[in-house]
Amino acid sequence: MLMLLGVLSASGQHYVGIRGGYGAAHGRFYPAYDKSSMMLGKSTAGFVWKYFSPQQVVGGVSAELEFQQRGYRLFYGTGVLTGTGDYYETMRTVNSITLPVMWQPHLYMINRRVRFFVGLGVTFSYNTGLGEKLTSTHYKWNNETKTHTPESTTISQTMQTARDVRWGYGWIGGAGLSLLVNRWEMFAEGRYYYGMGDILRTSSKFMFHDDTLYRNGKVLRSELDNIYISVGVTFRLGKGGLLAPPLRKHRPAPDDDDSFTNIRATM
């Protein structure tokens, strides 16, 4: 990153700032469970670095370091499919440090006071194991009352090295709007984080007393996704205005004495 800053500093403008957001987490598992759902109430916050060159539209990149709450919520059992049997529910929150690196195509509007941008890139993450929570609950069907009642709950608050994967990676995409006031930028952005790395190890088979985590003893894929709506503020380093000129329509060149385009043949 320091080398990149040194190379780009002479030809563009840097922005530094902070961001924070709110959203939902989801897990993609294979073999698929009988049902899965998003976990709402997840948050993210971190530091932002952006770079914009004089080149219009395509001259923008960014890198961030953010804290993220990720996780999954899974259901399986006859009660999930028929509604009248037992079923299991597993909920887990995973706290991660994530590094998104993105290309940011952008357009200036309203006399370059508003910037519309798109973010496309990759992410690298480290699962800290700090403050996370895993809850597994068995819901038993009562034929007399026709309701489900929780029979047992298991709570774990630490990562297990033999079961969990610390490092992950994935794709990221999103779009947002920025309001530019002097050297300040205030922005709002929506993002989708598509995980490609597993949270659970797949090379070994584990036997647990509670089968809500590993159905049939093994999970082949266990990626984590996130959706966030974020707001933030950045400050442009260095003096001077925006380097990229506004986009303008090309006007045809005016006719002059050397132009023969208007000559018409006469009889």
Side-chain angles (χ1 to χ4, degrees), residues 221-246:
R221 299 295 297 170
S222 54
E223 298 100 341
L224 301 182
D225 298 344
N226 278 92
I227 298 177
Y228 286 119
I229 303 296
S230 302
V231 295
V233 59
T234 63
F235 181 76
R236 187 173 73 240
L237 303 179
K239 298 180 180 180
L242 298 176
L243 297 181

Side-chain angles (χ1 to χ4, degrees), residues 26 43 51 59 81 117 140 207 215 264:
H26 181 258
S43 59
Y51 168 83
L81 301 176
F117 61 91
K140 193 171 182 61
M207 299 303 296
R215 185 168 58 169
R264 299 290 184 270

